[in-house]
């Protein structure tokens, strides 16, 4: 996972530090299946990501608000789980090449 900063509205200049990753899938259906399967684990550990789905991609940002919007072991463990879960799905389809 990469890391980045998120500005927190009304809390400037406070910044959140997040772990982030974009997971690519072979279809929209696989991206949705990944998110659906992940929700069971996420609910069990009661640590919820900020995430978004756009077509075959799922973007995930992890941070722990209770400790000042920084990554915690909960984030690292959830990132490992999501990486492992991603391995169950087909590799993404290659993007078409443009002809010049």
């Amino acid at each position: 996972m990469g890391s980045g900063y998120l500005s927190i509205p009304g809390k400037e200049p406070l910044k959140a530090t997040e772990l982030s990753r974009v997971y690519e899938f072979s279809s929209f259906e696989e991206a949705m299946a990944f998110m659906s399967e992940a929700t069971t684990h996420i609910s069990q550990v009661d640590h919820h990501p900020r995430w978004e789905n756009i077509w075959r991609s799922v973007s995930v940002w992890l941070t722990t608000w209770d400790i000042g919007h920084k990554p915690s072991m909960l984030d690292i463990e959830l990132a490992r789980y999501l990486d492992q879960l991603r391995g169950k799905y087909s590799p993404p389809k290659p993007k078409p090449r443009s002809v010049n």
Side-chain angles (χ1 to χ4, degrees):
M1 290 225 159
S3 64
Y5 292 98
L6 165 72
S7 291
I8 300 169
K11 303 269 186 183
E12 273 69 36
L14 184 62
K15 301 271 186 193
T17 302
E18 300 177 309
L19 302 178
S20 64
R21 172 142 312 153
V22 177
Y23 297 97
E24 299 285 341
F25 296 87
S26 63
S27 67
F28 172 74
E29 291 78 12
E30 280 204 353
M32 290 285 84
F34 169 82
M35 291 179 81
S36 181
E37 188 171 349
T39 60
T40 301
H41 177 79
I42 289 166
S43 292
Q44 287 173 350
V45 299
D46 195 24
H47 191 64
H48 301 83
R50 179 169 67 98
W51 59 1
E52 122 184 307
N53 163 251
I54 299 176
W55 189 33
R56 301 181 316 180
S57 299
V58 176
S59 300
V60 180
W61 299 270
L62 302 170
T63 193
T64 300
W65 292 74
D66 304 25
I67 62 168
H69 313 283
K70 296 176 182 142
S72 70
M73 283 308 296
L74 290 170
D75 300 300
I76 293 166
E77 290 166 4
L78 184 52
R80 286 182 182 143
Y81 169 78
L82 294 172
D83 284 351
Q84 181 181 24
L85 179 61
R86 171 60 190 91
K88 292 177 57 176
Y89 293 88
S90 304
K93 294 177 184 174
K95 294 182 181 180
R97 293 182 169 193
S98 61
V99 178
N100 294 334

